[in-house]
Amino acid sequence: MTDAASVNLRADEATAFAAGLLQSSGVPEEDAGIAASALVRADLRGIDTHGIVRLPGYLNRLDKGLVTAAPQLTFERIAPSVARLDGQDGLGFVIASRAIDEAVAMAQDAGIALVGVRNSTHFGMAATYLLKAVEAGCLAMVFTNASRALPPWGGTEELFGTSPFAAAAPNEGGLPFILDMAPTVVARGKIRKAAREGRAIPDTWALDGEGRPTTDPEAALKGTLLPIGGPKGAGLSMLMDILCGVLTGARFAGDVGDQYKNFDRPQGVGHFILVMKPDLFISTDDFTARMADLVSTVKANPKADGVEEIFMPGEPEARVEAARRAEGIPYRTVDLEPLADIARDRGVALPGALSA
Ligand SMILES: NC(=O)c1ccc[n+]([C@@H]2O[C@H](COP(=O)([O-])OP(=O)(O)OC[C@H]3O[C@@H](n4cnc5c(N)ncnc54)[C@H](O)[C@@H]3O)[C@@H](O)[C@H]2O)c1
């Protein structure tokens, strides 16, 4: 699907373009590749709100020295299966990628492993890191805290983040379970996207600055987001702040910097990354058989009116990814223009479809 308003890029073209831009802000080649792949994986999976359109924001913070371009990441083993990582304010994508790799390696020895990260930054789509764990045959929970977006339940002032709850389990021979969800009705990126596209939003997503439900995305961005399930979503968001902030030594209680508003200091994000091998309590073969049993039982559930198929969490995104890997990723030209302008200024190679 290519028309005047959109352009299709192959994943490898988009990744090379994003990596080139990151390198132009001083990010070393390998790290730029990791961050670019994470951004493009979000685009591949239809999580366009967390893809390369966000690059101008990351480049801006790199150029201002608020994100460290080349952190020297060293894990500190504080117990046989627990490690601490100081992200040195580097790119969250690189920090979380290294952290999940380390956690998977530790879990291969100990069965279970926990990595606590402080001094990180926005890591984008949490599923990026879950996928790495399931590809290694492990279960995982990958949490992050985030800047202020919603009040505690009953409050009016934004305090907690849209910190996603993200958990995964492998399912050999089938699609893995990948649950990756903000504790708010939607991630703030969806409201920013509606604002960019001049679309109204449902009045169940956010309150305006006066605490009233709104359909205006601009008004919503000045107000607060609504949690899923009232106090339950607000409670989940607080749990993310406890595990990722209070526990790890990262910023917490509303102190995580907003990457688009706070330019006086690094963000101070924290991550909590837990990995488990499937043979903790039973054999791997038993786990595989029991997962297959669970998935087929789920799929065989009687369908509600209008539902053609029951999906596993993560399945809608996996289907989009398969289609986009085959057909390319459709980007709105208007969203790529700011990136193309930066690339032209810096002499970064543009994908063929943009250089014409
Ligand atoms: N890094 C950050 O600070 C941050 C903050 C907020 C959100 N995010 C990211 O934003 C992204 C979007 O979050 P979201 O809450 O809007 O996600 P979403 O509402 O699009 O999806 C949430 C979950 O529901 C599942 N799902 C959707 N439809 C389904 C169906 N029909 N059957 C079964 N499962 C289904 C999805 O697979 C997904 O696991 C996530 O990747 C998240 O990590 C990141």
Side-chain angles (χ1 to χ4, degrees), residues 50 122 124-126 162 164 178-182 187 190 311 313-314 317:
H50 288 67
H122 189 252
M125 175 182 76
T162 55
I178 304 277
L179 179 65
D180 176 13
M181 46 166 261
K190 283 193 186 151
F311 292 126
E317 291 85 356

Side-chain angles (χ1 to χ4, degrees), residues 32-64:
I34 292 172
S37 301
L39 288 163
V40 173
R41 191 89 196 252
D43 286 332
L44 277 168
R45 290 175 67 81
I47 310 293
D48 310 0
T49 49
H50 288 67
I52 66 171
V53 299
R54 287 206 184 209
L55 266 169
Y58 301 120
L59 299 178
N60 185 28
R61 291 187 77 84
L62 278 160
D63 298 342
K64 287 186 159 63

Side-chain angles (χ1 to χ4, degrees), residues 136-211:
C138 294
L139 297 92
M141 289 187 177
V142 173
F143 301 153
T144 183
N145 62 358
S147 61
R148 291 169 179 257
L150 73 157
W153 190 244
T156 57
E157 199 176 285
E158 53 185 14
L159 173 62
F160 296 122
T162 55
S163 321
F165 179 95
N171 175 30
E172 209 188 307
L175 277 178
F177 169 91
I178 304 277
L179 179 65
D180 176 13
M181 46 166 261
T184 43
V185 178
V186 290
R188 197 156 37 186
K190 283 193 186 151
I191 298 180
R192 279 198 203 95
K193 189 175 179 207
R196 276 201 309 277
E197 296 174 2
R199 282 186 293 104
I201 56 169
D203 66 0
T204 49
W205 285 10
L207 305 178
D208 67 14
E210 311 301 317

Side-chain angles (χ1 to χ4, degrees), residues 236-323:
L236 259 188
S237 184
M238 184 167 174
L239 175 66
M240 296 301 110
D241 209 32
I242 293 169
L243 296 176
C244 304
V246 175
L247 180 71
T248 63
R251 288 182 184 271
F252 65 101
D255 257 356
V256 170
D258 184 320
Q259 57 181 337
Y260 300 108
K261 289 188 192 154
N262 302 129
F263 295 101
D264 55 335
R265 60 175 168 84
Q267 282 193 281
V269 173
H271 311 311
F272 172 98
I273 294 181
L274 182 73
V275 171
M276 286 168 278
K277 275 179 76 194
D279 61 353
L280 278 183
F281 306 106
I282 53 177
S283 71
T284 302
D285 284 351
D286 271 356
F287 178 88
T288 303
R290 290 161 68 92
M291 268 306 285
D293 185 6
L294 174 63
V295 172
S296 58
T297 307
V298 165
K299 291 267 181 191
N301 202 268
K303 291 181 261 305
D305 277 352
V307 172
E308 280 178 17
E309 187 179 349
I310 292 174
F311 292 126
M312 289 269 285
E315 189 164 358
E317 291 85 356
R319 290 196 180 195
V320 174
E321 179 166 359

